[in-house]
C-alpha cells in the first residue's frame, strides 16, 4: 500500500500501525512528537492500535527547543 508521510509518497506493508511506520522509518526518539492521521491527531497511547490504510496522509511534527 502507499501512504503519504509529510507529503512524500511511500510504500508500506499492509496492516502496519503508526508505531510500525515509525519503526520502518527508523524514528526512535518520539519525545515531543505529534502525529496527525488524515488531519486528526493520534494520541501516543493509540499509536500501536492505529492501523494505516492505503492513501492515508500522515503528518509528523517534532517540537524543537529554542532560546
Amino acid at each position: 500500500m502507499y501512504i503519504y508521510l509529510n507529503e512524500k509518497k511511500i510504500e508500506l506493508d499492509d496492516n502496519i500501525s503508526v508505531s510500525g511506520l515509525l519503526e520502518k522509518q527508523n524514528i526512535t526518539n518520539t519525545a515531543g512528537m505529534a502525529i496527525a492521521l488524515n488531519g486528526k491527531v493520534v494520541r501516543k497511547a493509540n499509536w500501536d492500535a492505529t492501523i494505516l490504510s492505503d492513501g492515508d496522509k500522515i503528518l509528523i511534527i517534532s517540537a524543537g527547543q529554542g532560546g
Side-chain angles (χ1 to χ4, degrees):
M1 74 173 173
Y2 290 94
I3 66 158
Y4 295 88
L5 176 60
N6 290 356
E7 299 183 10
K8 180 181 176 186
K9 187 177 182 179
I10 63 170
E11 185 174 6
L12 292 174
D13 297 330
D14 290 341
N15 297 317
I16 192 166
S17 67
V18 171
S19 293
L21 167 66
L22 296 177
E23 185 177 314
K24 288 274 189 187
Q25 296 297 309
N26 296 317
I27 299 172
T28 56
N29 183 4
T30 59
M33 182 179 288
I35 295 180
L37 170 60
N38 300 322
K40 295 182 181 180
V41 173
V42 178
R43 297 184 66 190
K44 194 170 190 175
N46 296 330
W47 288 0
D48 288 336
T50 302
I51 304 299
L52 302 177
S53 299
D54 190 48
D56 278 347
K57 293 179 174 76
I58 308 294
L59 179 64
I60 298 177
I61 302 169
S62 294
Q65 288 183 281

